[in-house]
Amino acid sequence: MATPLKEGIFWVGAIDWTVRDFHGYVTERGTSYNSYLIVDEEPTLVDTVRSQYFEEMLGRIKSVLEPASIRYIVIDHIENDHASSLGRIMAVARDAAIFTTERGRRGLERFFDLSPFPVRTVKTGDRLRIGKRRLLFIETPMLHWPDSMMTYLEEDRILISQDAFGQHIASSERFDDEYIASHSLAELKDAVLDYYANILMPFGRLILQKMEEISKLNIRIDMIAPDHGIVWRKDPGMVIEMYKGFATDMAEPSVAIIYDTMWHGTERMIPSIVDGLRDEGLDAKVIKLRTDPTSLAIKEFFKRRGTLIGTPTLNNLMFPSIALFMSQLKGLRPKARMVSAFGCYGWGGGGVKGVLEEAKAMGLEVFEPGIEINFRPKGEDLEKCYRFGREFALRLKEYHGRYERGGRRP
Ligand code: FEO
């Protein structure tokens, strides 16, 4: 069945309860592909679902109207999870016209033969009357693809925001208030953070600019309906504030310890380092790569002001799982975080140095020289680890304090 958002506006998406690998990003909560149907003089579908879920979407559309009566299909974003059902819905809604951005049109033509259908390209500020309602289109290039846009329902004050403000959550609840009642606010906020860290981290500055641009349009937003997860009907302002915080480099004054280990030498350094952090009043969260997914490590890195990366040395380089983490982190263009490294080596070091060089190349604040121990830490080595933890904590508190005093970038 379709779920009404407001009178005449329905969620007709699909829930993917079992997806755990979303092109490499581990989605422990599953996800949903949200599609919205607006019943007016010209019935309009905004976004579709991943093609495997076409029948689920079609069933929900049929619970409201005959799919052949759809006149307009808006594609806010052409990534496969939202647009790969377009061919099949066009085969059913044969009289429909497609609305998308110019880059959206060019991308869709790589996947579908659009020649039988009218395709109208739209820009920011363009409006489409569908009966008693008007849709306002807002381009959001690079949030997070070049083709991306949002669709605002003027009379109902609903912003269909495609990937922005989404979360990878599979749930029978459709709205924020329902999800908070059956799970918790903390769980929902964690899903927002996880999604932002893994997908939107590189685009923080663009997000701020786009929010500024939207506020100049003088539109009131009563509801934000993203293309993944729950719809924000009770408190859309909360997720907007969370995004502003992320985009202005807010972070917790605490430490993520992200590590891997060959023969448990690097791992044995951790309790003493954590003791040092704790004795300076800082919390730590420990994540072992190859046990926990890289996407969890990315989330914990983004959430906290400081990260310590533990790597054994293998063939004079950092350990492969750590190299993979550093590569993914580099692509996300992190900012305003402090990093150091620790680890064990056998014949010659190099892993710690490699991590610090990569972190410097990313423009992160680096606490040097890190700490590297031969083979296995023993008594006095563990003392050094403890002191390393304390010294890192002291530097991190000082670094974090510069943000707390109001400057965005120290
Ligand atoms: Fe949910 Fe960028 O696709």
Side-chain angles (χ1 to χ4, degrees), residues 370-383:
I371 179 167
E372 212 162 22
I373 305 277
N374 186 221
F375 281 124
R376 166 172 292 214
K378 298 173 80 170
E380 69 181 33
D381 301 318
L382 294 173
E383 279 294 316

Side-chain angles (χ1 to χ4, degrees), residues 22 77 79 81-82 144-145 162-163 168 195 199 227-228:
F22 197 96
H77 177 31
E79 194 164 5
D81 49 333
H82 307 296
H144 71 123
W145 274 24
Q162 46 96 17
D163 278 332
H168 283 310
Y195 187 96
I199 297 173
D227 277 2
H228 293 290

Side-chain angles (χ1 to χ4, degrees), residues 16-20 22 27-32 167-170:
D16 191 343
W17 296 94
T18 58
V19 64
R20 294 292 179 270
F22 197 96
T27 47
E28 288 175 341
R29 299 178 177 96
T31 195
S32 70
Q167 340 84 44
H168 283 310
I169 288 176

Side-chain angles (χ1 to χ4, degrees), residues 48-51 77-85 111 145:
T48 74
V49 297
R50 193 172 189 164
S51 55
H77 177 31
I78 65 168
E79 194 164 5
N80 287 22
D81 49 333
H82 307 296
S84 56
S85 287
F111 294 98
W145 274 24

